[in-house]
Amino acid sequence: MTDITKLLQQCTLRVSVGGGHGTGFFVAPQRILTCAHVVASANSETIHVFWQYQNQQYTASLEKILPEDHLDLAILKLNTPDLNHPCINFESLYPQLNDDLFSYGYPQDYPDGDSATFKYEGESFKGNSPLYKLKGGQANYGASGSPLLNQRTGKVCGILNISRNPNMDLGGRAVPVSIIFAQFPELAELNQRFHQNNSKKTDINPFDYGTPVSPERFYGRKQAILEVKNRIGAISSQSINIVGMRRNGKTSLLRLIRERTEIFFQPQQKPLIVTLDLQSSKFHTPKGIIDGLRREIFKQTGTEPWSQDVNDDPYEVEDGLILLQKQGYRLIVILDEFEGIIRRLDLFQDWGEDWRAKASAGMLAMVIASKRPLSEDWKTRFPTSSFPNIFSAEFLGALEEEYWQDLVKDGFIQSAIRFS
């Protein structure tokens, strides 16, 4: 068992109500996530939770419940205040096809704990809500409410709630994290704050410089987040240009968009987010960008939108994008370090008008990060181009006072340094 699967096991609990039991796991201080059907009788019965890692029994109260069978979620509040415990780390990104998934729970035949592994097979839908479809593992009675760990990313992507056959290794189904956060938005913030405040103490500089920070360490930018959400998460997605100096947090914001889709989209919008770093020489030509887009779509959906040998056929590419649109996907193309194109404009004479046409037709929306606004940089070089006209601009300035103070305080706390 790896370190990450051991940590997942330490976060799990056996949840018992009446004569039955299921599984739950720590998601925030004194908060446990489980399935609604596990605690459906909790109004008349005491909820007992057994934390195997500490071999301790506790009681909990039902804080929130969603009894609909396609949601099947409940939050419990531990009746033991200030209990020191770990929490799982969420991600709202969908797994890729055939990703290896790990789960740990308390099935009826192994009530003291049991591991299970699955393969991600794709999406199912129930009550218009997506579920993860899993194969190749056994989901027995009592495993409902178990966390589902994506072993490729090391984060929890869902909660197991349905078995396809409890007696055979046919797999099961799970509620995605994007649905969990859509129903319990406060849970995303509580979980993020927990990991910000409980990063491993270290002797090195606690502040990141140069590399984009993870969503767990992302601070502030509330106005920028709202502006981005109002564009790419609108009824019809719109493009936006994020403008700021180097080292000002543009790429960290782009990472937040990619890894915390529940902040920016409704689950039914099915965001399909492709990020291309234009510093890479792979994307220094229009054909390279199209091939990067094709590869990322294939990686995330399991279906090739068009074949590589027709990358330079605009009809084939547009047919592929239109098919994605018909399948309900909302394609968001994030282009970081846009100066990579600006420096090679001789190769991109018609590129802007082509991609403007795709965006105007609803095939995609773009999030472009650049040092200068497109309305200046692109227009200076192509005065007659209408490409910048489809973008609103969001300027990243200094971090808001409230949040830079939190950043400084939390950073010193992580280094065991206290202010007097």
Side-chain angles (χ1 to χ4, degrees):
M1 185 174 284
T2 64
D3 289 344
I4 192 67
T5 55
K6 285 180 181 178
L7 179 60
L8 184 84
Q9 179 181 340
Q10 293 168 11
C11 292
T12 62
L13 307 100
R14 187 174 67 227
V15 179
S16 303
V17 181
H21 79 264
T23 302
F25 52 99
F26 288 119
V27 293
Q30 278 63 59
R31 299 301 190 278
I32 299 164
L33 186 66
T34 186
C35 289
H37 74 263
V38 171
V39 292
S41 63
N43 288 334
S44 57
E45 300 279 356
T46 302
I47 303 175
H48 295 278
V49 294
F50 174 69
W51 189 15
Q52 181 201 47
Y53 178 58
Q54 293 292 340
N55 194 32
Q56 291 292 322
Q57 192 83 234
Y58 304 98
T59 62
S61 304
L62 182 60
E63 188 168 80
K64 293 186 178 180
I65 187 167
L66 298 172
E68 295 89 348
D69 59 358
H70 61 283
L71 296 175
D72 196 18
L73 298 168
I75 296 179
L76 311 181
K77 184 176 182 181
L78 208 61
N79 293 333
T80 305
D82 301 324
L83 179 67
N84 186 22
H85 61 78
C87 288
I88 58 88
N89 203 343
F90 279 123
E91 71 170 355
S92 56
L93 287 176
Y94 274 42
Q96 297 175 8
L97 288 182
N98 289 315
D99 265 353
D100 292 314
L101 308 175
F102 174 84
S103 187
Y104 191 89
Y106 300 87
Q108 289 185 356
D109 51 347
Y110 286 90
D112 293 327
D114 195 30
S115 303
T117 57
F118 303 94
K119 289 276 190 181
Y120 178 64
E121 196 171 3
E123 279 185 313
S124 297
F125 285 88
K126 193 170 186 180
N128 292 322
S129 288
L131 295 170
Y132 293 153
K133 187 177 181 182
L134 317 175
K135 65 179 181 180
Q138 188 172 359
N140 207 341
Y141 297 119
S144 295
S146 300
L148 192 64
L149 178 79
N150 188 331
Q151 296 192 71
R152 177 175 56 83
T153 65
K155 296 182 179 181
V156 168
C157 61
I159 178 172
L160 195 65
N161 77 321
I162 301 174
S163 175
R164 293 170 69 177
N165 188 317
N167 300 313
M168 301 177 65
D169 58 352
L170 294 182
R173 286 178 171 81
V175 179
V177 166
S178 60
I179 298 295
I180 297 169
F181 284 172
Q183 299 301 318
F184 304 129
E186 72 282 359
L187 196 59
E189 186 171 345
L190 287 172
N191 184 262
Q192 179 180 349
R193 178 62 65 178
F194 174 88
H195 288 289
Q196 286 177 342
N197 292 339
N198 289 272
S199 297
K200 191 173 182 180
K201 294 180 180 178
T202 174
D203 292 332
I204 64 173
N205 187 338
F207 306 108
D208 290 336
Y209 173 79
T211 57
V213 300
S214 66
E216 292 78 23
R217 301 197 65 192
F218 190 93
Y219 285 77
R221 303 291 187 201
K222 298 299 183 184
Q223 183 60 38
I225 289 171
L226 181 61
E227 290 298 325
V228 173
K229 178 180 179 179
N230 287 342
R231 296 290 290 182
I232 63 176
I235 294 175
S236 296
S237 57
Q238 306 293 318
S239 298
I240 186 168
N241 178 203
I242 298 172
V243 184
M245 300 301 293
R246 290 187 64 81
R247 312 299 186 200
N248 206 29
K250 298 189 300 296
T251 304
S252 295
L253 178 57
L254 300 183
R255 180 175 176 180
L256 186 75
I257 298 169
R258 187 177 71 248
E259 298 186 21
R260 289 290 186 267
T261 56
E262 71 282 350
I263 296 175
F264 301 92
F265 305 95
Q266 296 298 316
Q268 63 269 22
Q269 291 177 323
K270 291 181 67 175
L272 178 59
I273 299 179
V274 171
T275 300
L276 303 178
D277 184 351
L278 300 185
Q279 291 184 108
S280 171
S281 61
K282 296 179 294 186
F283 309 129
H284 286 175
T285 64
K287 189 173 180 178
I289 291 177
I290 286 292
D291 194 51
L293 179 63
R294 180 190 66 83
R295 287 170 177 267
E296 282 300 312
I297 292 171
F298 180 40
K299 189 183 298 183
Q300 294 187 47
T301 66
T303 302
E304 197 172 35
W306 58 86
S307 59
Q308 186 176 23
D309 59 352
V310 297
N311 276 336
D312 52 0
D313 186 332
Y315 296 101
E316 291 286 347
V317 171
E318 288 200 1
D319 285 347
L321 295 176
I322 290 169
L323 181 58
L324 282 174
Q325 195 178 5
K326 289 180 177 178
Q327 291 171 339
Y329 287 106
R330 175 171 294 212
L331 178 60
I332 307 295
V333 182
I334 296 177
L335 300 176
D336 196 10
E337 298 288 348
F338 196 69
E339 287 69 30
I341 282 182
I342 297 295
R343 288 191 290 270
R344 296 169 180 83
L345 287 180
D346 56 316
L347 301 174
F348 287 85
Q349 293 288 329
D350 300 318
W351 179 88
E353 301 311 302
D354 178 38
W355 277 62
R356 181 188 187 280
K358 289 178 172 59
S360 297
M363 299 176 197
L364 54 84
M366 287 171 276
V367 180
I368 288 182
S370 59
K371 288 189 291 186
R372 294 179 59 197
L374 294 176
S375 58
E376 296 177 8
D377 230 0
W378 193 269
K379 275 288 190 182
T380 300
R381 292 158 173 84
F382 298 117
T384 61
S385 173
S386 56
F387 175 63
N389 297 352
I390 63 172
F391 293 86
S392 67
E394 176 61 24
F395 294 83
L396 293 190
L399 198 61
E400 303 96 318
E401 182 175 357
E402 172 188 357
Y403 297 108
W404 73 251
Q405 289 180 356
D406 285 344
L407 173 63
V408 172
K409 290 175 183 176
D410 291 348
F412 280 113
I413 288 171
Q414 291 163 19
S415 294
I417 298 172
R418 297 292 184 270
F419 292 106
S420 58

